[in-house]
Amino acid sequence: MKALASLQARLLAGVLAVALGIGGLTAALALRQAEHELDELLDAHLTQAAALLVVQHSRKLAHDDDMVLDAPSLHRYAPRAVFQVFHEGRLALRSSQAPIEPMAPLADGFHAVTRGDVGWRVFVTHGASADVTVLVGESESARQEILWAMLGPLLGLGAAALVLMLLLAVAVLRWGLAPLRRLRTELATRQPDQLASLALADMPAELAPLLGTLNALFARIEALLQGERRLTADAAHELRTPIAAIRVQAQVAQGARDGAERAQALAATLAGCDRAARLVDQLLMLARLEAAAAPPRAPLDLAALARQAVADAAESPQQRGHALALDARGPVPARGDPLLTQVLLRNLLDNALRYSPPGSPVTLSVDATTGGWQLCVEDGGPGLDEGGLARLGQRFQRGAEATSSGSGLGWSIVLRIAALQGWGVSADRSPTLGGLRVRLAPEKSDE
């Protein structure tokens, strides 16, 4: 059976099922109790009728042994209630519908017998003398008719009450679910770019968390869209520079008079292409990171990843005689995504090599601490002043003293990866090398 799509239909079906279940159980118990009480009442009627017959006819039967009296039928239920009086084994008195032979065994008490296709409830008792036996019987169908005559109106009233209850339940459910319909209408009529918070009057307390969650979702989507718009605008602005430079150098190469000038222009063109390609790669990486959810964190060895990152950096184009050093003593356990961690380390080392003078020292250290671990990258470059440190991480923002080409996206990538993995990032001036020092450590709730 398919699940009901409508919440109102589900609630109505639940109310109907509960009402029918409880009503049916109550009706069955009431019917059984009423039938029992009716049997008790009619059995008492039989015993009283038998006692009356015993008292009225015991003396008369003693003098008229050969006479059989037929009592007249005075009521519409008379054919369904019969009696017999036997004296010394012979029928002395009966109702007009009673047979001549005894209807039940002549043993005292109640008997259930069947004559033809009709079931009878018969009570047998003896009179003042042992030779007088009284039988009073009533058909089972009469009892059922009396029972249903009493319960029929009650069942009709119950059915009418059930229908009325269902109609009232539908009205109450429609009234109670009206805020949901208003919320659905509000969401259905919204434009895709309309991300303002929802504010509906008379919102029930049960819907307040849902409304708050929707508003929080709208806020996150709006922040994501604004970030994408800023990224697109900044990227378009930043790409103009290398593209314009490539065009200028291509024109220079086209109009060069000698091979040396042409070669220099072509080399500058290739450098511009490399810069544009790197910028596009960083934009794609940042776009993927912005849209990605937090990856599952797995155990990893930061020392091993640091050794691999230093080995890759030693062969990168940014390695211009820098004194690369690694300080990693033994395994340093952490939790995170190995691939993202490699991207983070690569960007940290690339920034340190790119923005420090050729031949200057660059150090990567990884240590296990009491709280978990600490990773530090230091360089011997000019570093950043307080204003530069405050702007660090803003896209397409570079230090005022930067001499190498770059877009500032590397720091955005580092911060995003660290946030996804629950790592904290801080930057200050290196006390030993004099340039920039970047430190990473797990947040308090990460390890």
Side-chain angles (χ1 to χ4, degrees), residues 102-109 111 113 122 124 133 135:
M103 293 187 61
L106 300 181
D108 289 354
H111 301 272
V113 298
V122 181
V124 179
T133 304
L135 294 85

Side-chain angles (χ1 to χ4, degrees), residues 221-233 290 395:
I221 294 175
E222 185 174 14
L224 180 62
L225 291 178
Q226 289 179 354
E228 290 182 352
R229 294 189 189 104
R230 288 196 303 269
L231 177 63
T232 302
E290 290 288 351
R395 298 169 183 174

Side-chain angles (χ1 to χ4, degrees), residues 56-88:
Q56 289 180 347
H57 299 285
S58 59
R59 186 173 299 174
K60 182 178 181 179
L61 291 175
H63 298 88
D64 301 325
D65 293 339
D66 297 331
M67 183 180 296
V68 177
L69 301 177
D70 290 342
S73 178
L74 303 177
H75 193 271
R76 64 188 183 96
Y77 281 138
R80 302 184 183 184
V82 297
F83 62 85
Q84 295 174 317
V85 177
F86 287 87
H87 180 233
E88 295 181 350

